[in-house]
Each structure stands twice: as C-alpha cells, then as structure tokens.
Amino acid sequence: MTSPLLTRLRAEWAPSIPRELLAGAVATFALIPEVIAFSFVAGVDPSVGLFASFVISLVIAFTGSRPAMVSAAAGSVALVAAPLVQSHGLQYLFAAGLLAGAVQVLFGLLRLGVLMRFVSSSVRTGFVNALAILIFSAQLPHLAGAGIATWALLALGLALIYGLPRLGALLGWRALTAIPSPLICVVVLSVLSSALGLALPTVADLGQLPDALPVWGLPAVPASLETLRIVLLPALAIAMVGLLESVLTAAVVDELTDTPSDKNRECVGLGVANIAASCFGGIAGCGMVGQAVGNVKYGGRGRLSTLFAGVFLLVLMVALKPWVSQVPVIALVSIMVMVSAETFDWTSLRTLVRHPHLSSAVMLATVVATLASHNLAAGVAVGVLLSGVFFAFKVSRMLDVRCEDRGGTRTWRVSGQVFFASADAFIEAFDVLGAERRNVRIDVSHAHFWDVTAVAALDKVVQRLRHHGCTVEVVGLNAASAVLIDRLGSGAA
C-alpha cells in the first residue's frame, strides 16, 4: 500500500514521469534562443545566461512553490543589469545578484507576496499579452531578409507543431500525441537542413556555447561600503522586477492548472535560486511566462519538468554541444512563435468591447507601456497605477448626499465612501448658506470615512455650518469611522 507521503510527493513532483520529462525538454528548447538573446542584452557571454538558467531551474524545483513553473535568466532582469555590467563589469553583476536574492528571500519571509493581490486581472492579461508580443517580435530579426528556404522551414515547423497532435488524435496514433510536437519539429528540421545542405544560421551562430560545467565561487569584488553603494540600487531593481514577474507567472500557471501556490514561498525560492546562480557565475533570473505556458501545454504538472528543463539544458549545451550547435535557428524560432501564440490571451480581444471600458483601458495601457519600454515591470506598474486611479474614481462616484427638511430641522443623509477622491464632492453637497441659523443633522449611518482627507472634509462642513449660526449634530457614525474621527479630527464633528 502506497504511503500518503509518497502519494503526495508523486503528485507534486511527477504525476506522469514521461510527460514531465518531455514537457521539460520542450521548455528547454524554448529557453535556448531567449537566454542567449538576453545574455547579449545584458552584455555578458551566453554561458552566463545558460549557467544561470541551469542553476535557477535546478534550485527552484526544490525551493519554489509553483510546480511546473519554469524560471531562468530573463529579459527584464537583463535590461536592469546591463548598465551595471557596462560601468563596473561582470563580477559586480554577480554581487548584485547575490544581494537581489537576499532581498527576495527577505521579501518572502516577511510575507509581502500578498502585495501581488493588488495586481488586477486586467493588468495580468495585459502582462501576458505584452510578453507574447515581445516574444514574437524577438523572432523577427531571424526572419528579416531570410530566403525561401528559411520561410519554408518555418512553415513546415509550425505545421509539424500544430498538425501532428491533430493527426495523431485523428488516426489514433498515440506516438504522435505522446511525444511533444516541438521536439519532433527540432529533429525533423535539423535532419532536413543537414540532408539538403542548407546554409542556414545555427545555434552555434548565436554565440559561444559553454564547454564545461559551472564552477562555484563568490564574486571577486571588494567587501566594502563602496561596493555596496555600487550594487545596491541595481540589486533592488533586479529583486523587484524578478519578484513581480515570478509571482505573475505563478498566477498564470495557477489559472492554467486550476491549482493554488504559495506566493511567499515562491519569493523565497527565487531568492535562493538567484543566490546560487550568482555563486556559479550566472545572471539573476525569474519566472518565464512563455516557457511555463509551453511546459504546462505539453503535460508539465510537477516539479520534475522544471528540474529536467534545467538539467537537459546543461546536457545539451555541454555534453551534446556538437549536435546542438547544428540545430537550425529557424527550428527554435518555430517553437518560440508557438510559445507566443499560446501565451497570448486571444479571448481578451473578443471581450475587449464587452468588458467595462476602464478595465479594457488598463489592459491596453499595460500592453502599450510594456512594448514602449520593453520592460514588463514598467508595464505592470502603469497598469496597477491606472487600476488604482480608476477604482478610486468609480468608488468616489458612489457617494450620495440627500437633503430633507422636517420640523424645523434640516437633515443631510450621506451614503457611500468618503475618502480623498470623494472628499471635495462631499463638501460641495452641503448648501451652507441655505441652512443659515437652522438646526442641522448630518446622518452618516450609511457612510464610511476612510482617511484623514475624509475626516478633514467632515470637520470643514461642520465648521462652516456653525460659522453661519447652525446647530450641528452628526449621527450614525460607525465604530471604525468614529475611531478615525476621534484620532484625527479637530473636534468640530
């Protein structure tokens, strides 16, 4: 009889070992072109990005929270790291990675992952759509000025990726559905390119691949306050960008698999993985949405797929380097085009006009800001800011103040939320001159005062009324509002 522990470990690590290994292999081939490209963005050798991806995948498979999520060297981190590499060199990048990892661990231990709840679904949709567009646009340089052979192989590769699963299901051939079609695409296009003697760019043309295993070592920088001054701001930027992308990637995988994950543990796991990567001569990284989506699409559900993606990457780059070097780049481009198509939320185009206009505006703003800056963190920041502004605008319009006269007393009944965005409307709703020298009652039974601006608004109304000879009584304050007014009010209310 299987013990509960083994059952849990099996479910968490490898619900289906063959599918986990094959899905991890697909994620690996999707990683290669991006990691090498990101290495160039950061101004480092491809081996720095490849070693980082291996170490991060290996470590986070054990320390992270989200099974089936792929983490590696990422473009957003490369953008942040590039100025530090240019100004101070590679060793300072490793030092910044160490510090960034420590910040991420601290972030998770303090349970600040809850802050990601403020990222709305509109921002998340914009995030994945922008990433899909960036992934696709990154393939265009490989196609610019390409000949007929390149386009023909791209068409064949996409036909294999999308057609083989359908053909296998139609004919009942389990082999075509058991083996991920992107792997078949890589093999077929590599064999075909070699057999026909096509002079096409290969993986070897992307940059110098590693020829040895990564070696442990601390960054060769002085242990001084000056070093801390140099790396502090880049490290904080790397940490925040990495946390943002990883938590959002985890949320995407949560939705794809209908399973939850602990975002705080994911923050800690990413920090540990980045510390390890920096000590093995790699750049810091974070969650990779496109590769994670591809991994899940082809059956990855456990930690084994994440682990194997890193291990297989190292095997390909070191042990199988002579063969991998001959893989045509167009085969990897085919996979990345598929990844971008699978990452993009196509339903968002249909719901664009059906959803509330402000929500659609947030999604579009996130996409535009990301594409304009080529920085996913900047796009998400714009989206979150707009979400907050639009939410405050909508809530502020729910404030209602009604006036009625009865028995010589004028009563204003207030309902809704009073806070910084609605405070002016609250003040303007009171006709102070019309109530001169009357008994006034302000009924706030159905209102809530949220902040110091709201308290100041109530104080101002009461003071104005009393200045015009009114006797003012405020009734119906709920407990929370009363406490706030007692603490922050001037005593007029």
Side-chain angles (χ1 to χ4, degrees):
M1 183 175 180
T2 306
S3 69
L5 176 61
L6 289 177
T7 301
R8 184 179 63 82
L9 289 176
R10 176 68 181 270
E12 185 176 349
W13 272 90
S16 172
I17 292 178
R19 297 298 294 178
E20 295 293 315
L21 297 179
L22 292 171
V26 172
T28 299
F29 280 106
L31 277 174
I32 293 172
E34 280 209 60
V35 170
I36 293 176
F38 295 157
S39 298
F40 282 119
V41 170
V44 300
D45 291 334
S47 59
V48 175
L50 293 168
F51 283 157
S53 300
F54 158 67
V55 175
I56 291 172
S57 296
L58 185 69
V59 174
I60 209 166
F62 293 92
T63 62
S65 166
R66 176 64 264 176
M69 178 171 147
V70 177
S71 298
S76 54
V77 174
L79 287 170
V80 174
L84 179 62
V85 176
Q86 294 170 3
S87 60
H88 292 89
L90 187 60
Q91 293 300 318
Y92 281 87
L93 173 62
F94 298 153
L98 276 175
L99 183 56
V103 170
Q104 290 166 339
V105 170
L106 182 62
F107 191 93
L109 292 177
L110 294 176
R111 307 193 67 79
L112 297 179
V114 70
L115 295 177
M116 293 303 119
R117 294 179 182 175
F118 293 100
V119 181
S120 67
S121 60
S122 298
V123 176
R124 293 178 186 178
T125 301
F127 168 78
V128 297
N129 286 350
L131 180 64
I133 295 172
L134 287 176
I135 292 174
F136 180 79
S137 62
Q139 312 314 309
L140 298 181
H142 298 297
L143 301 173
I148 295 177
T150 298
W151 287 100
L153 288 183
L154 175 62
L156 176 60
L158 293 175
L160 291 172
I161 290 173
Y162 287 105
L164 288 179
R166 291 187 174 91
L167 182 63
L170 181 64
L171 300 178
W173 294 351
R174 296 188 60 185
L176 289 181
T177 55
I179 302 175
S181 55
L183 296 184
I184 299 176
C185 168
V186 170
V187 174
V188 171
L189 266 59
S190 299
V191 172
L192 191 60
S193 175
S194 177
L196 298 178
L198 300 177
L200 298 176
T202 63
V203 171
D205 297 322
L206 295 177
Q208 182 63 40
L209 301 179
D211 52 11
L213 295 175
V215 179
W216 168 272
L218 293 175
V221 296
S224 64
L225 290 177
E226 178 62 17
T227 298
L228 180 62
R229 183 191 67 80
I230 293 171
V231 303
L232 180 59
L233 290 181
L236 291 176
I238 290 171
M240 292 302 105
V241 168
L243 287 170
L244 183 63
E245 287 204 43
S246 287
V247 173
L248 287 179
T249 301
V252 171
V253 179
D254 288 351
E255 293 181 8
L256 290 174
T257 60
D258 293 325
T259 55
S261 61
D262 183 344
K263 304 304 184 294
N264 292 307
R265 180 182 170 186
E266 191 63 40
C267 295
V268 173
L270 178 65
V272 174
N274 280 333
I275 290 172
S278 299
C279 291
F280 276 103
I283 187 175
C286 61
M288 306 281 281
V289 177
Q291 286 70 16
V293 169
N295 184 37
V296 172
K297 173 181 171 60
Y298 288 99
R301 292 294 183 275
R303 297 178 181 274
L304 182 60
S305 59
T306 303
L307 177 67
F308 187 70
V311 172
F312 191 46
L313 177 64
L314 188 69
V315 171
L316 288 178
M317 294 296 99
V318 179
L320 303 180
K321 178 180 175 180
W323 291 274
V324 175
S325 299
Q326 301 308 311
V327 172
V329 172
I330 195 62
L332 304 184
V333 170
S334 301
I335 294 177
M336 297 312 299
V337 170
M338 177 274 294
V339 167
S340 65
E342 294 296 330
T343 301
F344 195 90
D345 185 355
W346 296 100
T347 60
S348 64
L349 298 180
R350 296 195 299 270
T351 59
L352 195 60
V353 294
R354 297 207 311 266
H355 282 176
H357 296 324
L358 293 182
S359 296
S360 297
V362 168
M363 191 273 284
L364 292 175
T366 303
V367 173
V368 171
T370 301
L371 297 180
S373 63
H374 281 249
N375 188 330
L376 289 165
V380 171
V382 169
V384 170
L385 178 61
L386 283 179
S387 294
V389 171
F390 290 159
F391 175 77
F393 174 72
K394 287 189 289 186
V395 173
S396 68
R397 295 181 65 185
M398 297 170 64
L399 178 69
D400 182 56
V401 182
R402 298 182 182 274
C403 177
E404 63 180 39
D405 292 320
R406 181 178 299 174
T409 299
R410 172 164 289 188
T411 301
W412 272 284
R413 301 188 187 280
V414 184
S415 59
Q417 312 303 314
V418 187
F419 63 114
F420 65 89
S422 61
D424 289 342
F426 173 79
I427 295 172
E428 293 167 2
F430 289 85
D431 179 13
V432 176
L433 295 178
E436 193 166 8
R437 301 188 183 281
R438 303 181 65 173
N439 293 326
V440 171
R441 173 179 292 182
I442 302 176
D443 185 352
V444 293
S445 303
H446 301 288
H448 189 94
F449 292 80
W450 286 98
D451 56 15
V452 65
T453 308
V455 173
L458 180 60
D459 275 342
K460 183 176 291 187
V461 168
V462 172
Q463 288 171 357
R464 285 182 177 180
L465 288 168
R466 287 177 177 170
H467 178 72
H468 287 274
C470 298
T471 302
V472 184
E473 180 185 13
V474 179
V475 299
L477 278 172
N478 60 39
S481 297
V483 170
L484 187 66
I485 289 172
D486 287 342
R487 289 177 52 198
L488 303 176
S490 63

